[in-house]
Amino acid sequence: MGGRILGVVLAVIAAFAVGGIALQRDEPINALWIVTAAVCIYLLGYRFYAAWIMAKVLSADPTRATPAERLNNGRDFVPTHRWVVFGHHFAAIAGPGPLVGPTLAAQFGYLPGTLWILVGSVLGGCVQDMVILFLSTRRNGRSLGQMARDELGPYGGFAALIGTLMIMIILIAVLGLVVVNAMKHSPWATSTIAMTIPIAVFIGFYLRRLRPGRVLEASILGVALLVMSVWLGGVIDHSPTLRAFFDHPGAPLALAVIAYGWFAAILPVWMLLAPRDYLSTFLKLGVVALLAIAIVIMHPTLKMPAITQFIDGTGPIFSGKLFPFVFITIACGAISGFHALVSSGTTPKLITNETDARLAGYGSMALESFVAIMAMIAATLLDPGVYFAINTGTGVVGAAAAEAVATISSWGFPVTVEQMQELAREMGESTLFARTGGAPSLAVGMASIFSSSFGSSLTSVWYHFAIMFEAVFILTTVDAGTRVGRFMVQDMLGQVWKPMANTSSYPATLIASTLIVAGWGYFLYIGVIDPNGGINILWPLFGIANQMLACIALSVATGIIVKKGKIRYALVTGAPLAWLAFVTTVAAFQKVFSSDPKLGFFAAANSLAEKLAAGTLPEAQAAVAPQLIFNQQLDGWLTVFFTLVLWFIIGDMLRVAYRRITGLPLPASSEAPYEPTRLNGITGETQHA
C-alpha cells in the first residue's frame, strides 16, 4: 500500500513538473523544474516498470548460476561484487553521449532535448540495457551478434555480426575524438588522466592480491588517489617545466588513446578495466551529485530559449531539422545501441545474480540519463552567444574573433570579443573560440555552476577539473568498447577459424585487439585532421549508427520474447523499436539523399571537390580536402549499409515472430540449462553448507 501511495505522489509531482517545463514559454524557466521532473520519473521507472519487467517479462531467478560463476576463468568471466559491477557498467556506458549529445542538441533550445531524454530513457534506453543484459547472462554472456545468430537464424545473425562490428568501430572513434578534443593543449586534464591508469592497476592488484574482497577499503584508497591526481594535475599545469610534457596537439594524443585502448583490451579485466571503471564511477557520481546540489542551491534560470530558430535545419553546430535529428544527436542520454554491446559484452561476464540486471542495467541507464539532464542544464545556463561561440567551428563563423562574434550576433545571440576574452581568462585558457565537440562548453557551464556555489575565486580550477572529469568519463567507454569490440572480432573470425573464438587464447586476443583498434583508430585520425573539429563529420554518423544499433538490440530482444511465448509483452521492446527504426531511417535518408552540402554526406563531398578543383579553398583545408572528400563519401555508403542491415534484421525478427504465431518450427533457444548457484548474489562469495 505504501509503495502505491509513493507511486501516485511521484507521478503527480512528475506530471506537474513536466507540464511546467513544456508549457512555460513566455518567461525563463528555473532549472529546478527539470531536476524535479527527472528525479521523479526515474524513481517511478525503476521502482515499478523495471520491477514488473524483471518479474513478468523476463522471469528472473535468483537461484540460477550465472556465467561468471560457471565459466570463471579469472580474466573475462569473473564473479564480481554487485556494486563493482554497477560501477563498471555505469562507467562503461556513460561515455560522451550523455555529456556531448545534450550539449550539441541545445542549439534547438532546452525543451526538445529535455523531453526526449526523460521519455526515451525510461521507456526505451533503460529497458534495452536491462533486457539485453539479462538475455546475455542467460546465454553464457554471448554478444549481441551471437544472440541474433542463435535466436533469429544464420542470415540475420551474420548481418547483425557485421553491422554491429562496423557500427562499434564508428562509435569508439567518436568517443576517442571527444577525449582528444578535451585533452588537446590541456596539461591538467592530460596529466590527471594519465595518472588514473597506474592508480587503477594498483587498485586492481590491491583487490586481487593484497586485500581480496576489501571493496570499501580499496574504494576509499582509490578515491583518495584520484583526488590527489587532480591536485597534482593542477601543480603540473602551473609548472612551466612539467606542463611541457603534457601539452600536446591532437595527433599525439590520438596515438596515446589508441595505445591505451589496445592495452585495455588485452589485459585481464581485473587488472585495469574493472577497477578503473569502478573508481571513475566515484568521480562521475560525485560530480553529478555536486551539480545537482549546486543547482538546488542556485536554482538558476536557463538562458537558452525553449526553442530556437535552428529547428528549421539551419543550425551552425550541426545541420538537420529538429525531427529527426534531436533523436539522433541525443543518444546515450535517452537510448543508445552502444549500451547493448556492453550489456552483452563485459557486464554479463561479471554479474553474480541475474536479478542484479535491474540495478546494473536499468539503474545505470537511469543514472546516465540524469547525467544528460545535468549536461543540458549546464549548457543552457550559458549566454546563448557564448554557447555558439564555443561550439561553432571556424569553417562556419570564421577564424578571426571579430568575424565570429559578428556572425553569431547576427543570429540574434549577441556576444563580444571582450566577453569571450574575459571568460577565457577566468577559465585559465588562451581562447575559447571554436572549441568544438561539446566538452569545452559543458566544462564552462559546469565551472560557472560550481564557482557560483562553492567559490568564485576557483573558476579556472573548476573548469580544468570539469575538462578532466569529462575526459575520464569518456575514456572509460573507450576501454570497455574496445574490449567488447575484441570479443566481436574473435566471434566473427571464429566462424572461419575456430581457435580465434577462444577468448582465453592470448594470440587470438592480440590479433583481434589489433584489428579492432586499427579500425577505430583510422576514423579517430580522420576526426583529428578535420578543420571543423571532427564532430561535424563524425557525430551525425555516430548518432545514426548508434540508434540503428539500438534497433538491432531491440529486434533481438523482441524476437526472443516472442519465441518464449510471451507475445503479449512484446511491446515492451517492440514499441521503442518501431519509433527508433522510423526515426533513424528518416535521418539516414536525409543524410544520404539531401542536396544541401551542410546536411548530405555525398552533397558535402561533391561541394568540397568542386571548391578544391576551382582552387577556392584555403591552403590548410586544401591539403586535407582529398581525405575529407573520401571520408564524406565513406560516411554516406556506411549509412546506406547500416540502413540495409537494420531492415534485414527487423525483417528476420518479424519472420521469427510470424513462425512462432503460426506454430512453424523455430531455431532452438540458446539459453543455458539451469544450474543452481553456489554464490551469494549480494557479495559474490561462495556459499558454504
Side-chain angles (χ1 to χ4, degrees), residues 220-558:
I220 295 173
L221 178 60
V223 171
L225 291 174
L226 280 180
V227 173
M228 185 179 296
S229 71
V230 175
W231 175 77
L232 285 175
V235 173
I236 291 171
D237 187 56
H238 289 88
S239 169
T241 303
L242 295 176
R243 67 175 282 121
F245 291 101
F246 298 96
D247 188 357
H248 299 290
L253 290 174
L255 292 175
V257 170
I258 290 170
Y260 169 76
W262 187 79
F263 279 107
I266 65 173
L267 291 175
V269 68
W270 61 265
M271 185 181 296
L272 176 59
L273 187 69
R276 190 183 189 282
D277 289 356
Y278 178 64
L279 290 176
S280 70
T281 298
F282 283 99
L283 180 62
K284 295 176 181 181
L285 295 182
V287 171
V288 172
L290 279 177
L291 275 175
I293 292 170
I295 288 171
V296 171
I297 293 173
M298 289 175 57
H299 46 275
T301 298
L302 304 185
K303 297 180 181 178
M304 185 70 73
I307 297 176
T308 71
Q309 69 265 37
F310 299 126
I311 61 173
D312 64 357
T314 60
I317 299 175
F318 62 90
S319 299
K321 294 183 179 181
L322 175 66
F323 178 86
F325 286 98
V326 72
F327 305 102
I328 299 301
T329 305
I330 300 178
C332 298
I335 181 169
S336 167
F338 176 80
H339 297 186
L341 300 183
V342 178
S343 294
S344 61
T346 53
T347 308
K349 299 175 176 64
L350 304 176
I351 200 166
T352 59
N353 189 319
E354 64 182 32
T355 60
D356 289 340
R358 180 184 171 206
L359 173 67
Y362 200 101
S364 291
M365 177 56 204
L367 188 58
E368 176 177 343
S369 184
F370 188 64
V371 173
I373 288 293
M374 293 293 103
M376 178 64 75
I377 291 173
T380 53
L381 285 176
L382 297 175
D383 287 330
V386 171
Y387 166 84
F388 286 109
I390 297 174
N391 283 291
T392 309
T394 56
V396 177
V397 296
E403 183 183 3
V405 299
T407 302
I408 295 167
S409 297
S410 70
W411 299 335
F413 302 116
V415 63
T416 66
V417 174
E418 292 75 21
Q419 183 181 3
M420 293 300 297
Q421 288 175 340
E422 175 62 20
L423 185 64
R425 186 193 64 78
E426 291 177 0
M427 301 299 161
E429 294 287 331
S430 57
T431 182
L432 288 173
F433 279 105
R435 295 293 300 272
T436 59
S441 67
L442 178 58
V444 172
M446 292 171 60
S448 300
I449 294 172
F450 286 145
S451 61
S452 298
S453 302
F454 307 119
S456 58
S457 62
L458 300 174
T459 302
S460 62
V461 175
W462 287 120
Y463 172 80
H464 286 94
F465 173 80
I467 285 287
M468 180 276 303
F469 157 77
E470 292 172 2
V472 168
F473 205 108
I474 297 165
L475 199 59
T476 54
T477 314
V478 173
D479 55 32
T482 303
R483 197 176 194 92
V484 172
R486 188 255 288 181
F487 292 145
M488 296 166 64
V489 171
Q490 288 191 255
D491 178 51
M492 188 174 66
L493 295 180
Q495 308 302 310
V496 180
W497 188 43
K498 195 171 182 179
M500 278 299 301
N502 183 7
T503 57
S504 297
S505 167
Y506 258 119
T509 295
L510 293 174
I511 293 171
S513 300
T514 302
L515 290 175
I516 188 67
V517 168
W520 63 258
Y522 168 76
F523 284 95
L524 173 57
Y525 173 73
I526 286 173
V528 169
I529 67 171
D530 181 13
N532 287 328
I535 287 297
N536 234 333
I537 195 172
L538 283 180
W539 193 269
L541 181 62
F542 168 88
I544 291 172
N546 197 24
Q547 303 304 65
M548 286 186 174
L549 185 54
C551 291
I552 293 173
L554 291 168
S555 295
V556 173
T558 304

Side-chain angles (χ1 to χ4, degrees), residues 36-286:
T36 302
V39 171
C40 292
I41 289 173
Y42 298 142
L43 289 176
L44 279 170
Y46 183 81
R47 173 63 181 83
F48 297 101
Y49 192 43
W52 177 80
I53 293 173
M54 287 294 289
K56 297 294 185 180
V57 182
L58 302 177
S59 303
D61 184 356
T63 69
R64 191 186 189 104
T66 65
E69 176 185 355
R70 292 184 287 100
L71 306 177
N72 185 0
N73 62 7
R75 183 160 69 226
D76 295 316
F77 292 88
V78 181
T80 307
H81 193 284
R82 63 182 301 191
W83 286 107
V84 176
V85 174
F86 171 83
H88 157 72
H89 190 77
F90 173 71
I93 65 171
L99 296 175
V100 178
T103 304
L104 299 178
Q107 78 166 8
F108 293 135
Y110 68 79
L111 181 59
T114 298
L115 294 179
W116 168 234
I117 291 168
L118 295 178
V119 177
S121 61
V122 172
L123 299 181
C126 297
V127 173
Q128 174 208 245
D129 290 20
M130 179 178 69
V131 172
I132 293 296
L133 175 56
F134 180 89
L135 296 178
S136 179
T137 302
R138 277 277 176 99
R139 288 159 178 78
N140 290 333
R142 281 185 172 89
S143 69
L144 182 62
Q146 285 177 307
M147 288 194 292
R149 183 188 60 211
D150 295 340
E151 299 290 345
L152 302 183
Y155 301 110
F158 180 75
L161 278 173
I162 298 296
T164 53
L165 179 60
M166 294 186 67
I167 290 172
M168 170 62 88
I169 289 172
I170 300 298
L171 300 188
I172 302 176
V174 177
L175 305 181
L177 177 62
V178 178
V179 172
V180 170
N181 283 345
M183 293 193 300
K184 189 164 53 179
H185 294 302
S186 180
W188 194 332
T190 304
S191 59
T192 301
I193 291 164
M195 283 185 275
T196 64
I197 298 173
I199 290 173
V201 173
F202 169 71
I203 295 300
F205 275 98
Y206 190 92
L207 281 172
R208 184 79 175 184
R209 308 293 187 198
L210 300 179
R211 304 277 286 177
R214 304 298 179 93
V215 176
L216 179 61
E217 187 178 301
S219 300
I220 295 173
L221 178 60
V223 171
L225 291 174
L226 280 180
V227 173
M228 185 179 296
S229 71
V230 175
W231 175 77
L232 285 175
V235 173
I236 291 171
D237 187 56
H238 289 88
S239 169
T241 303
L242 295 176
R243 67 175 282 121
F245 291 101
F246 298 96
D247 188 357
H248 299 290
L253 290 174
L255 292 175
V257 170
I258 290 170
Y260 169 76
W262 187 79
F263 279 107
I266 65 173
L267 291 175
V269 68
W270 61 265
M271 185 181 296
L272 176 59
L273 187 69
R276 190 183 189 282
D277 289 356
Y278 178 64
L279 290 176
S280 70
T281 298
F282 283 99
L283 180 62
K284 295 176 181 181
L285 295 182

